[in-house]
Amino acid sequence: MSKRKNIPMPVIRRLPKYRRYLLELSESDTEKISSTELGIKMGLTPSQIRQDFNCFGDFGQQGYGYNVEVLLSTISEILGMKMKYKFIIIGIGNIGQAIAKYTRFEGIGFELKGIFDINPSLIGLKFRNIEVYDVKFIEEFVKEKNIDIACICIDKRGAQQVCDKLVSSGIKAIWNFAPIDLNVPKDVPLENVHLSESILTLGYLLNEKNK
Ligand code: NAI
């Protein structure tokens, strides 16, 4: 569907939230919802919702609203949930282990296929039955298993080097937890999860509130 191409980034960032609300509606057997009702739940204006949904199809019917199941299925598809992506974790410390142990990523289409670390005392250990390999094998692993996503959970010093190796091995996307702005080619999507920056934003908001 040509309409689904070039969806603006702010709309894409709202899609997981739409999916979460639509899932709740589906679980409570709600068949349809108007942009006004959805807007009230999500804190968005009805026109914002109509504009967003209009980016990927004509779903609403005047006077009827949106069919919850159709919209949920379409958004899930756009978010790649029907694809089954293979991901690996590099760095099995605090963050790496938290991600490895979170079993629900599989349910939304992201399957953990490999774990890598540089620390000899971690190599050979298993997390959710997946063995930790020496990071020196990462390139052949990515190529052989056709891995889609690399989740970088190492400290920032080695992150760019690891990232470069992943890119040259054909990784398709990077999920980065290291506090560094990684350089990647334009065709390799990069999503940063900078936890410290997030809590600092909260610190600013608290400071403002306490002024
Ligand atoms: P950690 O020190 O517990 O784990 C890092 C792991 O990466 C270690 O097992 C280490 O052996 C491995 N490693 C280091 N260099 C490597 C390389 N070149 N190749 C393969 N493995 C390598 O660190 P943690 O706490 O898990 O943090 C990971 C990243 O997330 C860091 O960049 C940190 O700054 C960031 N971060 C972590 C937070 C947290 O709550 N743990 C909060 C905010 C950011």
Side-chain angles (χ1 to χ4, degrees):
M1 213 187 272
S2 59
K3 224 177 181 182
R4 288 200 200 160
K5 285 194 175 154
N6 304 322
I7 297 177
M9 206 56 195
V11 181
I12 293 170
R13 296 231 174 262
R14 281 193 286 275
L15 289 182
K17 186 170 169 176
Y18 282 126
R19 182 189 160 265
R20 179 156 52 83
Y21 277 88
L22 288 164
L23 195 60
E24 280 174 16
L25 290 166
S26 166
E27 283 166 358
S28 64
D29 294 326
T30 307
E31 276 176 31
K32 60 182 175 113
I33 187 147
S34 68
S35 50
T36 307
E37 289 168 310
L38 193 56
I40 290 167
K41 279 179 181 290
M42 293 185 59
L44 293 169
T45 63
S47 85
Q48 176 77 83
I49 288 179
R50 283 194 295 271
Q51 266 178 42
D52 284 0
F53 291 171
N54 200 33
C55 291
F56 46 83
D58 298 317
F59 294 105
Q61 264 175 41
Q62 199 78 36
Y64 174 84
Y66 295 99
N67 181 304
V68 170
E69 288 307 324
V70 171
L71 208 47
L72 180 59
S73 164
T74 306
I75 289 178
S76 302
E77 189 193 331
I78 293 171
L79 288 171
M81 289 176 57
K82 295 186 178 168
M83 290 294 294
K84 294 279 173 243
Y85 288 112
K86 293 179 268 188
F87 81 100
I88 55 172
I89 294 173
I90 304 101
I92 193 73
N94 296 304
I95 294 273
Q97 287 189 34
I99 291 167
K101 289 173 186 170
Y102 189 70
T103 52
R104 293 194 181 172
F105 289 133
E106 257 163 57
I108 55 171
F110 300 89
E111 200 179 346
L112 180 59
K113 287 291 185 186
I115 302 174
F116 296 84
D117 205 287
I118 205 168
N119 182 343
S121 67
L122 295 172
I123 293 163
L125 294 183
K126 284 189 173 176
F127 295 88
R128 285 187 40 222
N129 226 20
I130 296 176
E131 189 172 337
V132 180
Y133 290 134
D134 190 320
V135 72
K136 71 183 179 198
F137 299 119
I138 203 164
E139 286 154 300
E140 57 182 277
F141 190 94
V142 168
K143 282 182 201 158
E144 268 175 27
K145 308 263 181 200
N146 200 14
I147 299 298
D148 300 293
I149 302 169
C151 172
I152 297 182
C153 302
I154 68 177
D155 47 85
K156 66 176 180 186
R157 271 174 302 138
Q160 185 62 58
Q161 202 187 0
V162 166
C163 176
D164 291 344
K165 278 189 185 174
L166 289 161
V167 168
S168 67
S169 318
I171 203 77
K172 296 171 192 100
I174 305 260
W175 195 24
N176 174 43
F177 286 77
I180 178 175
D181 293 321
L182 293 170
N183 291 314
V184 288
K186 277 204 177 84
D187 61 347
V188 177
L190 166 71
E191 185 65 19
N192 292 301
V193 185
H194 289 160
L195 293 172
S196 306
E197 290 176 19
S198 176
I199 199 165
L200 279 171
T201 309
L202 204 55
Y204 167 83
L205 294 171
L206 271 179
N207 288 347
E208 286 297 296
K209 195 177 155 194
N210 294 333
K211 262 183 188 169

